């Protein structure tokens, strides 16, 4: 009886270890994807207009209008938080689109305190979600 159960047990343990390895790899891959605001730094005081430089890790910047796996483009959300994965990013004064594949932009804002969120999205302007967003706070003098 034990001899018969033993091969089944080994197969189950092997299958579980493969599943765990696959989940760990997927988790590591997701963790290797991120977006950042390289400039200005969090907490910076800037004068308008100021330069915003975007960074992305684990994906490729590509212009909008074509959905290609592993690619997307930047958006800058002003006083907005990350957008849920799959939702389209609005087009208005607080959701700036860089659909030509730009990795930096000149931004003009009146004096005040701002929350800036970089949001990465696919070619149809659908958000990759909070995992592909980064928020900083700045002051414009």
């Amino acid at each position: 009886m034990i001899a018969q159960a033993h091969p089944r047990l080994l197969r189950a343990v092997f299958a579980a270890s493969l599943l765990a390895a696959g989940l760990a790899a997927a988790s590591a891959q997701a963790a290797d994807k991120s977006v950042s605001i390289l400039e200005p730094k969090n907490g910076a005081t800037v004068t308008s207009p100021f330069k915003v430089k975007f960074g992305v890790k684990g994906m490729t910047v590509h212009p909008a209008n074509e959905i290609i796996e592993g690619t997307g483009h930047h958006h800058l959300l002003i006083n907005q938080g990350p957008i849920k994965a799959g939702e389209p990013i609005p087009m208005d004064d607080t959701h700036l689109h860089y659909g030509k594949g730009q990795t930096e932009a000149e931004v003009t804002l009146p004096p005040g305190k701002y929350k800036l969120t970089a949001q990465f999205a696919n070619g149809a302007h659908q958000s990759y979600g909070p995992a592909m967003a980064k928020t900083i706070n700045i002051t414009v003098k």
Side-chain angles (χ1 to χ4, degrees):
M1 183 81 136
I2 294 174
Q4 290 175 332
H6 184 50
R8 277 187 250 139
L9 179 61
L10 286 176
R11 282 194 298 273
V13 168
F14 181 69
S17 67
L18 286 178
L19 178 62
L23 291 174
S27 177
Q29 191 175 37
D32 287 346
K33 293 179 183 177
S34 65
V35 68
S36 58
I37 297 176
L38 304 172
E39 189 180 311
K41 297 294 184 195
N42 187 37
T45 298
V46 299
T47 56
S48 209
F50 59 95
K51 185 182 291 188
V52 175
K53 285 187 179 182
F54 301 103
V56 66
K57 181 178 167 191
M59 297 189 84
T60 303
V61 174
H62 190 272
N65 298 325
E66 188 177 9
I67 298 178
I68 301 171
E69 188 175 336
T71 71
H73 62 282
H74 295 286
H75 298 81
L76 184 64
L77 287 48
I78 300 168
N79 292 332
Q80 307 286 327
I83 295 176
K84 192 167 117 180
E87 288 192 12
I89 298 175
M91 269 194 160
D92 59 33
D93 291 344
T94 62
H95 298 84
L96 307 179
H97 290 243
Y98 299 101
K100 293 180 182 175
Q102 303 97 309
T103 57
E104 60 182 60
E106 288 286 321
V107 176
T108 302
L109 292 171
K113 293 186 179 290
Y114 293 91
K115 173 171 75 170
L116 302 179
T117 300
Q119 179 71 68
F120 208 62
N122 69 18
H125 303 279
Q126 295 167 323
S127 171
Y128 281 120
M132 288 300 290
K134 175 66 177 179
T135 299
I136 65 166
N137 294 293
I138 64 162
T139 301
V140 177
K141 287 283 184 188

